[in-house]
Coordinates of all heavy atoms in Angstrom, one line a residue:
M25 N 8.7 -38.6 24.6 CA 9.4 -38.9 23.4 C 10.8 -39.4 23.8 O 11.5 -38.9 24.6 CB 9.5 -37.6 22.6 CG 10.1 -37.9 21.2 SD 10.1 -36.3 20.3 CE 11.9 -36.1 20.0
T26 N 11.2 -40.4 23.1 CA 12.5 -41.0 23.3 C 13.5 -40.4 22.3 O 13.2 -40.3 21.1 CB 12.5 -42.5 23.1 OG1 11.4 -43.0 23.8 CG2 13.8 -43.1 23.6
G27 N 14.7 -40.0 22.8 CA 15.6 -39.3 21.9 C 16.5 -40.3 21.1 O 16.3 -41.5 21.2
S28 N 17.3 -39.8 20.3 CA 18.2 -40.6 19.5 C 19.5 -39.8 19.1 O 19.4 -38.5 19.3 CB 17.5 -41.1 18.2 OG 17.2 -40.0 17.4
V29 N 20.5 -40.4 18.7 CA 21.7 -39.7 18.2 C 22.1 -40.3 16.9 O 22.1 -41.5 16.7 CB 22.9 -39.9 19.2 CG1 23.9 -38.8 18.9 CG2 22.4 -39.8 20.6
V30 N 22.5 -39.5 16.0 CA 23.0 -39.9 14.7 C 24.3 -39.1 14.3 O 24.4 -38.0 14.8 CB 22.0 -39.8 13.5 CG1 20.8 -40.7 13.8 CG2 21.6 -38.4 13.3
I31 N 25.1 -39.6 13.5 CA 26.1 -38.9 12.8 C 25.7 -38.7 11.4 O 25.4 -39.7 10.7 CB 27.5 -39.6 12.9 CG1 28.0 -39.7 14.3 CG2 28.5 -38.9 12.0 CD1 29.4 -40.2 14.4
R32 N 25.7 -37.5 10.9 CA 25.4 -37.2 9.5 C 26.7 -37.1 8.7 O 27.5 -36.3 9.0 CB 24.6 -35.9 9.4 CG 24.2 -35.7 7.9 CD 23.2 -34.5 7.8 NE 21.9 -34.9 8.4 CZ 20.9 -34.0 8.6 NH1 21.1 -32.8 8.2 NH2 19.8 -34.3 9.2
H33 N 26.8 -38.0 7.7 CA 28.0 -38.0 6.9 C 27.9 -37.1 5.7 O 28.8 -36.6 5.1 CB 28.3 -39.4 6.4 CG 28.5 -40.4 7.6 ND1 29.5 -40.4 8.4 CD2 27.6 -41.3 8.0 CE1 29.4 -41.3 9.3 NE2 28.2 -41.9 9.1
G34 N 26.6 -36.9 5.2 CA 26.4 -36.1 4.0 C 25.0 -36.4 3.5 O 24.2 -36.9 4.3
H35 N 24.7 -36.0 2.3 CA 23.4 -36.2 1.8 C 23.5 -36.4 0.2 O 24.5 -36.0 -0.4 CB 22.5 -35.1 2.1 CG 22.8 -33.8 1.4 ND1 23.6 -32.9 2.0 CD2 22.3 -33.3 0.3 CE1 23.7 -31.9 1.1 NE2 23.0 -32.1 0.1
E36 N 22.5 -36.9 -0.3 CA 22.4 -36.9 -1.8 C 21.0 -36.7 -2.2 O 20.0 -36.8 -1.4 CB 22.9 -38.3 -2.3 CG 22.1 -39.5 -1.8 CD 22.7 -40.8 -2.3 OE1 23.2 -40.8 -3.5 OE2 22.5 -41.8 -1.6
I37 N 20.8 -36.3 -3.4 CA 19.5 -36.0 -3.9 C 19.0 -37.2 -4.7 O 19.6 -37.6 -5.7 CB 19.5 -34.7 -4.9 CG1 20.3 -33.6 -4.2 CG2 18.1 -34.3 -5.3 CD1 19.6 -32.9 -3.1
V38 N 17.9 -37.7 -4.3 CA 17.3 -38.9 -5.0 C 15.8 -38.6 -5.3 O 15.0 -38.3 -4.4 CB 17.3 -40.2 -4.1 CG1 16.7 -41.3 -4.8 CG2 18.7 -40.5 -3.6
D39 N 15.5 -38.6 -6.6 CA 14.2 -38.2 -7.1 C 13.7 -36.9 -6.5 O 12.6 -36.8 -5.9 CB 13.2 -39.3 -6.7 CG 13.4 -40.6 -7.4 OD1 14.0 -40.5 -8.5 OD2 13.0 -41.7 -6.9
D40 N 14.6 -35.9 -6.5 CA 14.3 -34.5 -6.0 C 14.0 -34.5 -4.5 O 13.5 -33.5 -4.0 CB 13.0 -34.0 -6.7 CG 13.3 -33.7 -8.2 OD1 14.5 -33.5 -8.5 OD2 12.3 -33.7 -9.0
R41 N 14.4 -35.5 -3.8 CA 14.3 -35.5 -2.4 C 15.7 -35.6 -1.8 O 16.6 -36.3 -2.3 CB 13.4 -36.6 -1.9 CG 12.0 -36.6 -2.4 CD 11.2 -37.7 -1.8 NE 11.0 -37.5 -0.3 CZ 9.8 -37.2 0.2 NH1 8.8 -37.1 -0.6 NH2 9.6 -37.0 1.4
I42 N 15.9 -34.9 -0.7 CA 17.2 -35.0 0.0 C 17.2 -36.2 0.9 O 16.3 -36.4 1.7 CB 17.4 -33.7 0.9 CG1 17.4 -32.5 0.1 CG2 18.7 -33.9 1.7 CD1 17.5 -31.2 0.9
V43 N 18.2 -37.1 0.7 CA 18.3 -38.3 1.5 C 19.6 -38.1 2.3 O 20.7 -38.0 1.7 CB 18.4 -39.5 0.6 CG1 18.6 -40.8 1.5 CG2 17.1 -39.7 -0.2
Y44 N 19.5 -38.2 3.6 CA 20.7 -38.0 4.4 C 21.4 -39.3 4.7 O 20.8 -40.3 4.8 CB 20.3 -37.4 5.8 CG 19.9 -35.9 5.6 CD1 18.5 -35.6 5.7 CD2 20.8 -34.9 5.2 CE1 18.1 -34.3 5.6 CE2 20.4 -33.6 5.1 CZ 19.0 -33.3 5.2 OH 18.6 -32.0 5.1
D45 N 22.7 -39.3 4.6 CA 23.5 -40.4 5.0 C 23.9 -40.3 6.4 O 24.8 -39.5 6.8 CB 24.8 -40.4 4.1 CG 25.7 -41.6 4.4 OD1 25.3 -42.5 5.1 OD2 26.9 -41.5 4.0
E46 N 23.2 -41.1 7.3 CA 23.4 -41.0 8.7 C 23.6 -42.3 9.4 O 23.1 -43.3 8.9 CB 22.1 -40.3 9.4 CG 21.9 -38.9 8.9 CD 20.6 -38.3 9.5 OE1 19.7 -39.1 9.8 OE2 20.5 -37.1 9.6
T47 N 24.4 -42.4 10.4 CA 24.6 -43.6 11.1 C 24.2 -43.4 12.6 O 24.5 -42.4 13.2 CB 26.1 -43.9 11.2 OG1 26.6 -43.9 9.9 CG2 26.4 -45.3 11.8
P48 N 23.3 -44.3 13.1 CA 23.0 -44.1 14.5 C 24.1 -44.4 15.4 O 25.0 -45.1 15.1 CB 21.9 -45.2 14.7 CG 21.7 -45.9 13.4 CD 22.8 -45.5 12.5
L49 N 24.1 -43.7 16.6 CA 25.2 -43.8 17.6 C 24.6 -44.4 18.8 O 23.4 -44.0 19.1 CB 25.8 -42.5 17.9 CG 27.0 -41.9 17.1 CD1 27.5 -40.6 17.8 CD2 28.1 -42.9 17.1
S50 N 25.3 -45.1 19.6 CA 24.8 -45.5 20.9 C 25.0 -44.3 21.9 O 25.8 -43.3 21.6 CB 25.6 -46.7 21.5 OG 26.9 -46.2 21.9
W51 N 24.2 -44.2 23.0 CA 24.3 -43.1 23.9 C 25.8 -43.0 24.5 O 26.3 -41.9 24.7 CB 23.3 -43.3 25.0 CG 21.9 -43.0 24.6 CD1 20.9 -43.9 24.5 CD2 21.4 -41.7 24.2 NE1 19.8 -43.2 24.1 CE2 20.0 -41.9 23.8 CE3 22.0 -40.4 24.0 CZ2 19.2 -40.9 23.4 CZ3 21.1 -39.4 23.5 CH2 19.8 -39.6 23.2
D52 N 26.4 -44.1 24.7 CA 27.8 -44.1 25.3 C 28.7 -43.5 24.3 O 29.5 -42.6 24.7 CB 28.2 -45.5 25.6 CG 27.6 -46.1 26.9 OD1 27.0 -45.2 27.7 OD2 27.6 -47.3 27.1
E53 N 28.6 -43.9 23.0 CA 29.5 -43.3 22.0 C 29.2 -41.8 21.9 O 30.2 -41.0 21.7 CB 29.3 -43.9 20.7 CG 29.7 -45.4 20.6 CD 29.2 -46.1 19.3 OE1 28.1 -45.9 18.9 OE2 30.0 -46.8 18.7
A54 N 28.0 -41.4 21.9 CA 27.6 -40.0 21.7 C 28.1 -39.2 22.9 O 28.6 -38.1 22.7 CB 26.1 -39.9 21.6
D55 N 27.9 -39.7 24.1 CA 28.4 -38.9 25.3 C 29.9 -38.7 25.2 O 30.4 -37.6 25.5 CB 28.1 -39.8 26.6 CG 26.6 -39.8 27.0 OD1 25.9 -39.0 26.4 OD2 26.3 -40.5 27.9
Q56 N 30.6 -39.7 24.8 CA 32.1 -39.6 24.7 C 32.4 -38.5 23.6 O 33.3 -37.7 23.8 CB 32.6 -40.9 24.2 CG 34.0 -41.2 24.9 CD 34.3 -42.7 24.8 OE1 34.1 -43.3 23.7 NE2 34.7 -43.3 25.9
K57 N 31.7 -38.6 22.5 CA 32.0 -37.7 21.4 C 31.7 -36.2 21.8 O 32.3 -35.3 21.4 CB 31.3 -38.1 20.1 CG 31.7 -37.4 18.8 CD 31.1 -38.2 17.7 CE 31.2 -37.4 16.4 NZ 32.6 -37.0 16.0
A58 N 30.6 -36.1 22.5 CA 30.1 -34.8 22.9 C 30.9 -34.2 24.1 O 30.9 -33.0 24.4 CB 28.6 -34.8 23.3
G59 N 31.5 -35.1 24.9 CA 32.3 -34.7 26.0 C 31.4 -34.4 27.2 O 31.8 -33.8 28.2
R60 N 30.1 -34.8 27.2 CA 29.2 -34.6 28.3 C 28.1 -35.6 28.1 O 27.9 -36.2 27.0 CB 28.7 -33.2 28.3 CG 27.8 -32.8 27.1 CD 27.5 -31.3 27.3 NE 27.0 -30.7 26.1 CZ 25.7 -30.5 25.8 NH1 24.8 -30.8 26.8 NH2 25.3 -29.9 24.7
R61 N 27.3 -35.7 29.2 CA 26.1 -36.6 29.1 C 25.0 -35.9 28.4 O 24.5 -34.9 28.8 CB 25.7 -37.1 30.5 CG 24.7 -38.2 30.5 CD 24.3 -38.5 31.9 NE 23.0 -39.0 32.0 CZ 22.7 -40.3 31.7 NH1 23.6 -41.2 31.5 NH2 21.4 -40.7 31.8
L62 N 24.5 -36.5 27.3 CA 23.4 -35.9 26.6 C 22.1 -36.3 27.2 O 21.9 -37.4 27.7 CB 23.5 -36.4 25.1 CG 24.8 -36.0 24.4 CD1 24.7 -36.6 22.9 CD2 24.9 -34.5 24.3
D63 N 21.1 -35.4 27.0 CA 19.7 -35.7 27.5 C 19.1 -36.8 26.7 O 18.9 -36.6 25.4 CB 19.0 -34.4 27.4 CG 17.6 -34.5 28.1 OD1 17.0 -35.6 28.2 OD2 17.1 -33.4 28.6
R64 N 18.7 -37.9 27.3 CA 18.2 -39.0 26.6 C 16.8 -38.7 26.0 O 16.3 -39.5 25.2 CB 18.0 -40.2 27.5 CG 19.2 -41.2 27.6 CD 20.5 -40.6 27.7 NE 21.6 -41.5 27.9 CZ 22.9 -41.3 27.8 NH1 23.3 -40.0 27.5 NH2 23.8 -42.2 28.0
R65 N 16.1 -37.6 26.4 CA 14.8 -37.3 25.9 C 14.8 -36.6 24.6 O 13.8 -36.4 23.9 CB 14.0 -36.5 26.9 CG 13.7 -37.3 28.2 CD 13.3 -36.3 29.3 NE 14.4 -35.3 29.6 CZ 14.3 -34.4 30.5 NH1 13.2 -34.2 31.2 NH2 15.3 -33.6 30.7
M66 N 16.1 -36.1 24.2 CA 16.2 -35.2 23.0 C 16.8 -36.0 21.9 O 17.4 -37.0 22.0 CB 17.1 -34.0 23.3 CG 16.9 -33.3 24.7 SD 16.0 -31.8 24.5 CE 16.8 -31.0 23.2
S67 N 16.6 -35.4 20.7 CA 17.2 -36.0 19.5 C 18.4 -35.1 19.2 O 18.4 -33.9 19.1 CB 16.3 -35.9 18.3 OG 15.2 -36.8 18.5
W68 N 19.5 -35.8 19.0 CA 20.8 -35.2 18.7 C 21.4 -35.6 17.4 O 21.1 -36.7 17.0 CB 21.8 -35.5 19.8 CG 21.4 -35.2 21.2 CD1 20.6 -36.0 22.1 CD2 21.6 -34.0 21.9 NE1 20.4 -35.3 23.2 CE2 21.0 -34.1 23.2 CE3 22.3 -32.8 21.6 CZ2 21.0 -33.0 24.1 CZ3 22.3 -31.8 22.6 CH2 21.7 -31.9 23.8
A69 N 22.3 -34.8 16.8 CA 23.0 -35.2 15.6 C 24.4 -34.5 15.6 O 24.5 -33.4 16.1 CB 22.2 -34.9 14.4
F70 N 25.4 -35.2 15.1 CA 26.6 -34.6 14.8 C 26.7 -34.3 13.4 O 26.7 -35.2 12.5 CB 27.8 -35.5 15.2 CG 27.9 -35.7 16.7 CD1 27.3 -36.8 17.3 CD2 28.7 -34.8 17.5 CE1 27.4 -37.0 18.7 CE2 28.8 -35.0 18.8 CZ 28.1 -36.0 19.5
I71 N 26.6 -33.0 13.0 CA 26.6 -32.5 11.7 C 27.9 -31.7 11.4 O 28.1 -30.7 12.2 CB 25.3 -31.7 11.4 CG1 24.1 -32.6 11.6 CG2 25.3 -31.2 9.9 CD1 22.8 -31.8 11.6
N72 N 28.7 -32.1 10.5 CA 30.0 -31.4 10.3 C 30.8 -31.4 11.6 O 31.4 -30.4 11.9 CB 29.9 -30.0 9.7 CG 29.2 -30.0 8.4 OD1 29.4 -30.9 7.6 ND2 28.4 -29.0 8.1
N73 N 30.7 -32.5 12.4 CA 31.3 -32.6 13.7 C 30.8 -31.7 14.7 O 31.4 -31.6 15.8 CB 32.9 -32.5 13.5 CG 33.5 -33.8 13.5 OD1 33.0 -34.7 14.2 ND2 34.6 -34.0 12.8
E74 N 29.8 -30.9 14.5 CA 29.2 -30.0 15.5 C 28.0 -30.8 16.1 O 27.2 -31.4 15.4 CB 28.6 -28.7 14.8 CG 29.7 -27.8 14.3 CD 30.4 -27.1 15.4 OE1 29.8 -27.0 16.6 OE2 31.5 -26.6 15.2
L75 N 27.9 -30.7 17.4 CA 26.7 -31.3 18.1 C 25.5 -30.4 17.9 O 25.5 -29.2 18.2 CB 27.0 -31.4 19.6 CG 25.9 -31.9 20.4 CD1 25.5 -33.4 20.1 CD2 26.3 -31.9 21.9
C76 N 24.5 -31.0 17.4 CA 23.2 -30.3 17.1 C 22.1 -31.0 17.8 O 22.1 -32.2 18.0 CB 22.9 -30.2 15.6 SG 24.2 -29.4 14.7
K77 N 21.1 -30.2 18.2 CA 19.9 -30.9 18.8 C 18.7 -30.5 18.0 O 18.6 -29.4 17.3 CB 19.7 -30.6 20.2 CG 19.4 -29.1 20.6 CD 19.2 -29.0 22.1 CE 19.1 -27.6 22.5 NZ 19.0 -27.4 24.0
S78 N 17.7 -31.3 18.0 CA 16.5 -31.1 17.2 C 15.5 -30.3 18.1 O 15.2 -30.6 19.2 CB 15.8 -32.5 16.9 OG 14.6 -32.2 16.2
I79 N 15.0 -29.2 17.5 CA 14.0 -28.4 18.2 C 12.7 -28.5 17.3 O 12.8 -28.6 16.1 CB 14.3 -27.0 18.4 CG1 14.7 -26.3 17.1 CG2 15.5 -26.8 19.4 CD1 14.6 -24.8 17.2
S80 N 11.6 -28.6 18.0 CA 10.3 -28.6 17.2 C 9.4 -27.5 17.7 O 9.5 -27.1 18.9 CB 9.7 -30.0 17.2 OG 9.4 -30.4 18.6
Y81 N 8.6 -27.1 16.8 CA 7.7 -25.9 17.2 C 6.5 -26.0 16.3 O 6.4 -26.7 15.3 CB 8.5 -24.6 17.0 CG 9.1 -24.5 15.6 CD1 8.4 -23.9 14.5 CD2 10.4 -25.0 15.4 CE1 9.0 -23.8 13.3 CE2 11.0 -24.9 14.1 CZ 10.3 -24.3 13.1 OH 10.9 -24.2 11.8
T82 N 5.5 -25.2 16.7 CA 4.2 -25.2 16.0 C 4.2 -23.9 15.2 O 4.5 -22.8 15.7 CB 3.0 -25.2 17.0 OG1 3.1 -26.4 17.7 CG2 1.7 -25.3 16.2
I83 N 3.8 -24.0 14.0 CA 3.7 -22.8 13.1 C 2.4 -22.8 12.3 O 1.9 -23.9 12.0 CB 5.0 -22.7 12.2 CG1 5.1 -21.4 11.5 CG2 5.0 -23.9 11.2 CD1 6.4 -21.2 10.8
R84 N 1.9 -21.6 11.9 CA 0.7 -21.6 11.2 C 0.9 -22.3 9.8 O 2.0 -22.3 9.3 CB 0.2 -20.2 11.0 CG 1.0 -19.4 10.1 CD 0.7 -17.9 10.1 NE 1.7 -17.2 9.4 CZ 1.7 -17.0 8.1 NH1 0.7 -17.4 7.4 NH2 2.7 -16.3 7.5
C85 N -0.1 -22.9 9.4 CA -0.1 -23.7 8.1 C 0.0 -22.8 6.9 O -0.8 -21.9 6.8 CB -1.3 -24.6 8.0 SG -1.4 -25.5 6.5
S86 N 1.0 -23.0 6.1 CA 1.2 -22.2 4.9 C 0.1 -22.5 3.8 O -0.1 -21.7 2.9 CB 2.6 -22.3 4.3 OG 2.7 -23.7 3.8
G87 N -0.6 -23.7 4.0 CA -1.6 -24.1 3.0 C -2.9 -23.3 3.2 O -3.7 -23.2 2.2
C88 N -3.2 -22.8 4.4 CA -4.5 -22.3 4.6 C -4.5 -20.9 5.3 O -5.6 -20.4 5.7 CB -5.4 -23.3 5.3 SG -4.8 -23.8 6.9
S89 N -3.3 -20.4 5.6 CA -3.3 -19.1 6.3 C -2.9 -18.0 5.3 O -2.1 -18.3 4.4 CB -2.4 -19.0 7.5 OG -1.1 -19.3 7.1
E90 N -3.4 -16.8 5.3 CA -3.1 -15.8 4.3 C -2.3 -14.7 4.8 O -1.4 -14.2 4.1 CB -4.4 -15.3 3.7 CG -5.0 -16.4 2.9 CD -6.4 -16.0 2.4 OE1 -6.9 -14.9 2.8 OE2 -7.1 -16.8 1.7
C91 N -2.5 -14.2 6.1 CA -1.8 -13.1 6.6 C -0.6 -13.5 7.5 O -0.8 -14.5 8.3 CB -2.7 -12.2 7.4 SG -4.3 -11.9 6.6
P92 N 0.5 -12.9 7.3 CA 1.6 -13.3 8.2 C 1.3 -13.1 9.7 O 1.9 -13.7 10.5 CB 2.8 -12.3 7.7 CG 2.4 -11.9 6.4 CD 0.9 -11.9 6.3
G93 N 0.4 -12.2 10.0 CA 0.1 -12.0 11.4 C -0.8 -13.0 12.1 O -0.9 -13.0 13.3
E94 N -1.4 -13.9 11.3 CA -2.3 -14.8 11.8 C -1.6 -15.9 12.7 O -0.5 -16.3 12.3 CB -3.0 -15.6 10.7 CG -4.1 -14.8 10.0 CD -4.7 -15.6 8.8 OE1 -4.0 -16.5 8.3 OE2 -5.8 -15.2 8.5
D95 N -2.2 -16.4 13.7 CA -1.7 -17.4 14.5 C -1.9 -18.8 13.8 O -1.1 -19.7 13.9 CB -2.4 -17.5 15.9 CG -2.0 -16.3 16.7 OD1 -1.1 -15.6 16.4 OD2 -2.7 -16.1 17.8
R96 N -3.0 -18.9 13.2 CA -3.3 -20.2 12.5 C -4.2 -19.9 11.3 O -4.8 -18.9 11.2 CB -4.0 -21.1 13.5 CG -5.3 -20.6 14.1 CD -6.0 -21.6 15.0 NE -5.1 -22.1 16.0 CZ -5.0 -23.4 16.4 NH1 -5.7 -24.3 15.7 NH2 -4.2 -23.8 17.3
G97 N -4.2 -20.9 10.4 CA -5.0 -20.8 9.2 C -6.5 -21.3 9.4 O -6.9 -21.6 10.6
M98 N -7.2 -21.4 8.4 CA -8.6 -21.8 8.5 C -8.7 -23.3 8.6 O -9.7 -23.9 9.0 CB -9.4 -21.4 7.2 CG -9.3 -20.0 6.8 SD -10.4 -19.0 7.8 CE -12.0 -19.5 7.0
G99 N -7.7 -24.0 8.2 CA -7.7 -25.5 8.2 C -7.8 -26.0 6.8 O -8.6 -25.5 6.0
C100 N -6.9 -27.0 6.5 CA -7.0 -27.6 5.2 C -6.4 -29.0 5.3 O -6.0 -29.5 6.4 CB -6.1 -26.8 4.2 SG -4.4 -26.8 4.5
S101 N -6.4 -29.7 4.2 CA -6.0 -31.1 4.2 C -4.5 -31.2 4.6 O -4.0 -32.2 5.1 CB -6.3 -31.8 2.9 OG -5.6 -31.1 1.8
E102 N -3.7 -30.2 4.2 CA -2.3 -30.2 4.5 C -2.0 -30.3 6.0 O -1.0 -30.9 6.4 CB -1.6 -28.9 3.9 CG -0.1 -28.9 3.9 CD 0.4 -27.6 3.3 OE1 -0.1 -27.2 2.3 OE2 1.4 -27.0 3.9
C103 N -2.8 -29.6 6.8 CA -2.5 -29.5 8.2 C -3.5 -30.3 9.0 O -3.6 -30.2 10.2 CB -2.6 -28.0 8.7 SG -4.1 -27.2 8.3
G104 N -4.3 -31.1 8.3 CA -5.3 -32.0 9.0 C -6.4 -31.1 9.7 O -6.9 -31.5 10.7
Y105 N -6.6 -29.9 9.1 CA -7.7 -29.0 9.5 C -7.5 -28.5 10.9 O -8.4 -28.2 11.7 CB -9.1 -29.7 9.4 CG -9.4 -30.1 8.0 CD1 -9.0 -31.4 7.5 CD2 -9.8 -29.2 7.1 CE1 -9.2 -31.7 6.2 CE2 -10.0 -29.5 5.7 CZ -9.7 -30.8 5.3 OH -9.8 -31.1 4.0
H106 N -6.2 -28.3 11.3 CA -5.8 -27.7 12.6 C -5.4 -26.3 12.4 O -5.4 -25.5 13.3 CB -4.7 -28.5 13.3 CG -5.1 -29.9 13.7 ND1 -5.9 -30.1 14.7 CD2 -4.7 -31.1 13.2 CE1 -6.1 -31.4 14.8 NE2 -5.4 -32.0 13.9
G107 N -5.0 -25.9 11.2 CA -4.6 -24.5 10.9 C -3.1 -24.3 11.3 O -2.6 -23.3 11.0
V108 N -2.5 -25.3 11.9 CA -1.1 -25.2 12.3 C -0.4 -26.5 12.0 O -1.1 -27.5 11.9 CB -0.9 -24.9 13.8 CG1 -1.4 -23.5 14.2 CG2 -1.7 -25.9 14.7
V109 N 0.9 -26.5 11.8 CA 1.7 -27.7 11.6 C 2.9 -27.7 12.5 O 3.3 -26.6 13.0 CB 2.2 -27.7 10.1 CG1 1.0 -28.0 9.2 CG2 2.9 -26.5 9.8
R110 N 3.4 -28.9 12.8 CA 4.6 -29.0 13.6 C 5.8 -29.1 12.7 O 5.7 -29.7 11.7 CB 4.5 -30.3 14.4 CG 3.5 -30.3 15.5 CD 3.8 -29.4 16.7 NE 5.0 -29.9 17.5 CZ 5.5 -29.1 18.4 NH1 5.2 -27.9 18.6 NH2 6.5 -29.6 19.1
Q111 N 6.8 -28.4 13.1 CA 8.0 -28.4 12.3 C 9.2 -28.6 13.2 O 9.1 -28.3 14.4 CB 8.2 -27.1 11.5 CG 7.1 -26.9 10.5 CD 7.5 -26.0 9.4 OE1 8.4 -25.1 9.6 NE2 7.0 -26.2 8.2
S112 N 10.3 -29.1 12.7 CA 11.5 -29.3 13.5 C 12.7 -29.0 12.6 O 12.7 -29.1 11.4 CB 11.5 -30.7 14.1 OG 11.6 -31.7 13.1
C113 N 13.8 -28.6 13.3 CA 15.0 -28.4 12.6 C 16.2 -28.6 13.6 O 16.0 -28.7 14.8 CB 15.1 -27.0 12.0 SG 15.0 -25.7 13.2
W114 N 17.4 -28.7 13.0 CA 18.6 -28.9 13.9 C 19.1 -27.5 14.2 O 19.2 -26.6 13.3 CB 19.6 -29.7 13.1 CG 19.2 -31.1 12.8 CD1 18.9 -31.6 11.6 CD2 19.1 -32.2 13.8 NE1 18.6 -33.0 11.8 CE2 18.7 -33.3 13.1 CE3 19.3 -32.2 15.2 CZ2 18.5 -34.5 13.7 CZ3 19.1 -33.5 15.8 CH2 18.7 -34.6 15.1
V115 N 19.5 -27.3 15.4 CA 20.3 -26.1 15.8 C 21.5 -26.6 16.6 O 21.6 -27.6 17.2 CB 19.4 -25.2 16.8 CG1 18.3 -24.6 16.0 CG2 19.0 -26.0 18.0
E116 N 22.6 -25.7 16.5 CA 23.8 -26.0 17.2 C 23.6 -26.1 18.7 O 22.9 -25.2 19.2 CB 24.8 -25.0 16.8 CG 26.1 -25.5 16.1 CD 27.0 -24.4 15.7 OE1 27.6 -23.8 16.6 OE2 27.0 -24.1 14.5
A117 N 24.0 -27.1 19.3 CA 23.8 -27.2 20.8 C 24.8 -26.5 21.6 O 26.0 -26.4 21.1 CB 23.8 -28.7 21.1
Ligands
ZN13 ZN1 -3.7 -25.8 6.5

């Protein structure tokens, strides 16, 4: 996977969806702003001037699993019948 860097300026709600106002950064600009060389394989963002990186993980599908202790659900159209879904979020780097 190839990484990327963006600066998030804010967000607005359009048709009940969150739309982020982001500007892509070049790696050189991002390295300078971060004060170090960023890993080109990762996705990075500056959110409220904090350097954040994207982490992704697999979690059981909420559409077809019933018990919190289950590793995966039975499979449904929401998860493509895998019982699990990939999710990602930003964490402070
Ligand atoms: Zn499912």
Side-chain angles (χ1 to χ4, degrees):
M25 187 178 116
T26 312
S28 63
V29 197
V30 296
I31 291 186
R32 182 172 293 174
H33 304 288
H35 69 272
E36 56 181 333
I37 312 290
V38 180
D39 290 336
D40 292 336
R41 297 183 71 109
I42 297 174
V43 178
Y44 292 108
D45 176 16
E46 296 176 338
T47 310
L49 270 187
S50 73
W51 286 114
D52 285 343
E53 290 170 320
D55 286 350
Q56 217 162 47
K57 194 167 164 58
R60 65 185 165 104
R61 189 182 152 83
L62 299 177
D63 190 330
R64 267 47 173 169
R65 295 165 299 181
M66 315 257 313
S67 293
W68 303 89
F70 290 94
I71 301 172
N72 298 328
N73 259 328
E74 292 286 339
L75 177 64
C76 300
K77 68 177 171 185
S78 175
I79 58 162
S80 57
Y81 50 94
T82 304
I83 189 171
R84 70 192 168 84
C85 173
S86 62
C88 59
S89 64
E90 289 171 359
C91 313
E94 285 176 337
D95 291 347
R96 56 176 57 224
M98 305 281 286
C100 68
S101 58
E102 185 181 321
C103 57
Y105 301 93
H106 295 290
V108 290
V109 289
R110 290 291 288 170
Q111 295 204 330
S112 61
C113 63
W114 294 108
V115 293
E116 242 174 72

